[in-house]
Amino acid sequence: MITDRLFHILADSFWKILLPGIKVTIPLTALSFALALVIAVIVALVQVAGVRGLKQLARFYIWAVRGTPLLVQLYVIFFGLPGIGIVLDPFPSAVLVFAVNEGAYAAETMRAALESVPRGQVEAGYCVGMSWLQIMRRIVLPQAFRMAFPPLSNSLIAMVKDTSLAANITVTEMFMTTQRIVARTYEPLALYCEVGLIYLLFSTVLTWLQRWGERRLAVHGFR
Amino acid sequence: MDFVEGEIMLEVQDVRKSFDGREGQGPFPREVLRGVSLSVRRGEVAAIIGPSGAGKTTLLRCVNFLERASSGRLTFGGQSFDLTRISKRDIAAIRLRTGFVFQDYNLFRNRTALGNVTEGLIAARGIPKEEAEEMGRRMLDKVGLSNKYDAWPSQLSGGQQQRVAIARALASKPEIIYFDEPTSALDPELTGEVLSVMRKLAEEGHTMLIVTHELAFARTVASQAVFMEDGAVVEAGPAEDVFSHPSRERTREFLNLTK
Ligand SMILES: Nc1ncnc2c1ncn2[C@@H]1O[C@H](COP(=O)(O)OP(=O)(O)O)[C@@H](O)[C@H]1O
Ligand SMILES: [Mg+2]
């Protein structure tokens, strides 16, 4: 029976798709996002500090990255760079592009969050003898992170889904795996729906984590 | 309080400050401080009074380098500096010897009351946490907040927040404490608790430079009064003289108006 065969294919492929999800999609997302956060904090701080030159560089980076498609960025790095002798493996290429791309958006989120911490606390920090870096690290960034937590969580969830674009540069993540199974079984509707559901599953877990995180931050008392 | 004779703690000479056109108020650049000079002796309480917009806040901010003066000199504890050329190191060194209390408290929102007091001790002075907390608790006791060590700023009233801010300024044993209208942001019924803490500090002999609209307080607590208007010192002298028989017509008008 047709449904019987379909059920078999779906059950069989579920694990085949989930496995690269766990082995590729999750590490790709986690690594890229962690790097993006590092980039974002530095790029946002540079702007808040108003270091001439560096600030312009930061604005240029954000402008260039936000103004070009992610897919194009992936192609430039993976298919373009070998033309000038720089060859990167698919996975590192993907991490690089996702981190640099997300870093630009997250930098704007962080900048807004940093600017929302009242300037008076920075001045109070100076008056008790702290340096700018100490004030940022101990007073401003913790408050900014709290503020930025919901929008950054959104970005993380968006990134999980965007990693499917890495299929274009031969990273065998969930989507590429699904494409291969479709090529063998000719069940595109069912299988693409299935991979969609797995992405939904991942996003749902992250949404739970976000709620949990927000609750924990709230318990921590400061407002 | 009597006029204090003694070593000069702080002296500012001919401080000028212009703001450039960013804030968008009338024609710029505007000179907000037009050559202000004053001095505070060790152990003295000096009160700066004057209408709003006189430049009182700007003066305090220039003296603690939150604002860069356009010109002028600062003598601090016997050392003299050009305010436009003073180095970052000297600024840092002076700040470690001063305390600043802001109009709107500016407590660190991610620190408890105790954390606010210990933050500078731990981060800027490298005092071990235990010791800093011991000092911090003593400071909070002093401002009457023994039961609020672990409270977050958001859980405190304005008066309590300002007392934490005073404890924070006091923690590092500053040689002078600047107050910028410490009660102006408070509901009237909360000003008393802050003023009485400040009165206590004055009695203990702390050197303080206080910008305030609380004239009755200034009159009884300060030994020196400085009346500022329009970016300049109009009159300065023993508080009793300035308040009882001001020598300038403008001072008289101001004191009558605010009565
Ligand atoms: N950052 C700034 N930029 C432009 N003008 C300012 C700035 N800060 C203060 N001023 C102006 O300087 C004048 C003096 O302000 P301020 O020192 O706050 O007076 P006071 O504390 O005596 O009320 C006011 O006219 C104010 O508008
Ligand atoms: Mg003021």
Side-chain angles (χ1 to χ4, degrees), chain A residues 118-131 134-135 138-140 142-143 219-223, chain B residues 61 64 66 95-96 98-100 102 105-111 119-120 122-125 152 154-155 168:
Chain A
R119 168 92 199 141
Q121 292 181 50
V122 177
E123 296 184 341
Y126 283 134
C127 286
V128 297
M130 293 161 82
S131 68
Q134 287 176 324
I135 297 168
R138 299 176 59 105
I139 305 298
V140 177
Q143 294 180 63
V219 172
H220 192 46
F222 69 81
R223 215 177 23 223
Chain B
R61 291 173 60 83
N64 221 20
L66 294 173
R95 279 179 176 155
L96 284 175
T98 64
F100 203 106
F102 298 85
Y105 341 126
N106 291 341
L107 293 187
F108 306 130
R109 309 296 286 184
N110 61 332
R111 292 282 185 269
E119 182 65 21
I122 294 168
R125 282 160 214 269
W152 296 94
S154 56
Q155 298 166 330
R168 175 174 70 181

Side-chain angles (χ1 to χ4, degrees), chain A residues 72-87:
Chain A
V72 172
Q73 293 165 10
L74 281 166
Y75 272 61
V76 167
I77 298 301
F78 186 72
F79 297 113
L81 286 188
I84 54 166
I86 303 170
V87 184

Side-chain angles (χ1 to χ4, degrees), chain B residues 57-124:
Chain B
T57 296
T58 307
L59 177 65
L60 284 193
R61 291 173 60 83
C62 284
V63 170
N64 221 20
F65 319 104
L66 294 173
E67 214 80 70
R68 199 43 103 129
S70 312
S71 72
R73 294 195 69 80
L74 168 77
T75 307
F76 189 91
Q79 270 181 296
S80 186
F81 304 93
D82 181 334
L83 278 175
T84 56
R85 250 177 259 146
I86 182 164
S87 69
K88 279 195 166 173
R89 268 184 71 201
D90 288 331
I91 289 177
I94 291 177
R95 279 179 176 155
L96 284 175
R97 299 167 63 186
T98 64
F100 203 106
V101 176
F102 298 85
Q103 185 169 342
D104 40 12
Y105 341 126
N106 291 341
L107 293 187
F108 306 130
R109 309 296 286 184
N110 61 332
R111 292 282 185 269
T112 59
L114 185 59
N116 266 276
V117 183
T118 57
E119 182 65 21
L121 300 176
I122 294 168

Side-chain angles (χ1 to χ4, degrees), chain A residues 182-202:
Chain A
V182 169
R184 270 193 285 109
T185 58
Y186 305 105
E187 288 292 349
L189 179 62
L191 284 163
Y192 287 137
C193 284
E194 182 174 41
V195 73
L197 280 172
I198 297 178
Y199 277 111
L200 187 60
L201 183 75
F202 281 20

Side-chain angles (χ1 to χ4, degrees), chain A residues 42 88 109 115 151 157 198 201:
Chain A
I42 294 170
L88 295 174
T109 306
E115 282 170 354
I157 291 170
I198 297 178
L201 183 75

